[in-house]
Amino acid sequence: MALRVVSALKLGLRGPGSGLLRSGTFFLSATQHRLEKMPSSIGFPVTSRRPFSNHRILVDMDQTLGVATMKLKNPPVNSLSLELLTEFVINLEKLEIDKSCRGVILTSGASPAGGCLMALASDYRIMANNPKYTIGLNETQLGIVAPFWFKDTLVNTIGNRAAEHALQQGLLFSPDDALKIGLVDQIVPEDKVQSTALSMMSEWLKIPDHARQLTKTMIRGPTAHRLLKQREADIQNFVSFISKDSIQKSLHMYLKSLKKQKE
């Protein structure tokens, strides 16, 4: 489920004063299909909540804390369909114009390819410590090539050599291995993912927003600017590549193998 909607990444990396750059953004990697009750024992006061929901996105905005939780709900594996990504971008834009929102916690399901990129675009990644969950950019296993903005984002996270190894082999990492190479920042029991994210969020929000935003822009800006500059060419290159008979055959074989695994 390679993510090809540029605006989703753009929201995560674009310039000062907009997008996720102005907030402390957290991604709960691996599977967390059930939102826990927000704990009151981690330093946060009791607050009012303002949930809103679309077909594929559930958002719980706590205006007092300045923290929103976004839950993807596109069964069975939260595939990054055009419909889901459209709702994702719309909801992010709503949160961007909400001056009370300082941070976003994003919960997801499976995290290969586009799901992994969404994690990489976040500031802190927490993964459920369950061996059945994996994360990584597995494009080569489908016979396709991760675009440069996938590659650059991975290299910026885990380093050139580890990224080269992971991208060429299309590796999907277990929680322990993902933590070892720095693909995720923390692994916790599955029932502690949400509470851990809130606890980490409280620490990040102690830092002045403008300082975090400008630092993030300095580090991630070059990748974002290169993507925006080359967006149309990148789309055309991908469409041309994915339309080749050999690539379509490879994708068909991969999907067929996945179907067999489920049988």
Side-chain angles (χ1 to χ4, degrees), residues 18 105-106 112-113 170 184:
S18 61
I105 296 173
L106 174 63
V184 299

Side-chain angles (χ1 to χ4, degrees), residues 78-91:
N78 283 333
S79 298
L80 300 183
S81 64
L82 177 60
E83 293 79 13
L84 182 140
L85 287 171
T86 299
E87 289 188 15
F88 180 69
V89 171
I90 289 172
N91 280 286

Side-chain angles (χ1 to χ4, degrees), residues 118-247:
M118 292 174 77
L120 292 170
S122 301
D123 297 298
Y124 198 87
R125 292 167 290 281
I126 302 168
M127 187 170 185
N129 191 11
N130 188 322
K132 74 178 182 179
Y133 302 145
T134 57
I135 183 171
L137 298 177
N138 64 330
E139 277 75 5
T140 55
Q141 292 190 29
L142 284 71
I144 59 179
V145 179
F148 73 85
W149 41 288
F150 277 51
K151 181 267 295 180
D152 288 352
T153 306
L154 184 65
V155 168
N156 291 343
T157 304
I158 66 174
N160 192 83
R161 182 62 185 125
E164 183 180 20
H165 186 203
L167 286 171
Q168 288 198 47
Q169 292 193 282
L171 297 178
L172 292 175
F173 295 92
S174 68
D176 284 335
D177 289 338
L179 180 64
K180 187 181 301 182
I181 66 170
L183 188 54
V184 299
D185 299 295
Q186 197 172 353
I187 55 176
V188 299
E190 190 166 358
D191 62 351
K192 300 296 184 183
V193 171
Q194 183 75 19
S195 58
T196 303
L198 281 167
S199 180
M200 288 304 305
M201 179 72 82
S202 69
E203 294 300 314
W204 280 62
L205 294 185
K206 292 177 182 177
I207 307 300
D209 291 345
H210 71 279
R212 287 188 294 107
Q213 171 222 310
L214 292 173
T215 300
K216 185 173 181 178
T217 302
M218 177 176 61
I219 295 171
R220 300 193 181 195
T223 297
H225 296 152
R226 185 183 174 201
L227 168 59
L228 295 177
K229 184 177 181 180
Q230 301 182 29
R231 178 169 56 183
E232 293 304 320
D234 177 70
I235 292 172
Q236 292 303 317
N237 288 338
F238 179 79
V239 171
S240 176
F241 181 79
I242 204 72
S243 300
K244 293 181 180 179
D245 290 341
S246 59
I247 302 303

Side-chain angles (χ1 to χ4, degrees), residues 10-26 50 61 66-68 90-104 121 123 201 204-205 207-217 220:
K10 183 175 72 173
L11 282 169
L13 296 176
R14 66 189 184 188
S18 61
L20 303 184
L21 284 171
R22 70 168 177 81
S23 59
T25 310
F26 294 80
R50 182 170 59 84
M61 177 61 205
V67 176
I90 289 172
N91 280 286
L92 279 181
E93 290 176 341
K94 287 180 179 178
L95 294 173
E96 286 177 348
I97 63 176
D98 187 339
K99 294 182 179 180
S100 69
C101 182
R102 296 182 62 205
V104 179
D123 297 298
M201 179 72 82
W204 280 62
L205 294 185
I207 307 300
D209 291 345
H210 71 279
R212 287 188 294 107
Q213 171 222 310
L214 292 173
T215 300
K216 185 173 181 178
T217 302
R220 300 193 181 195

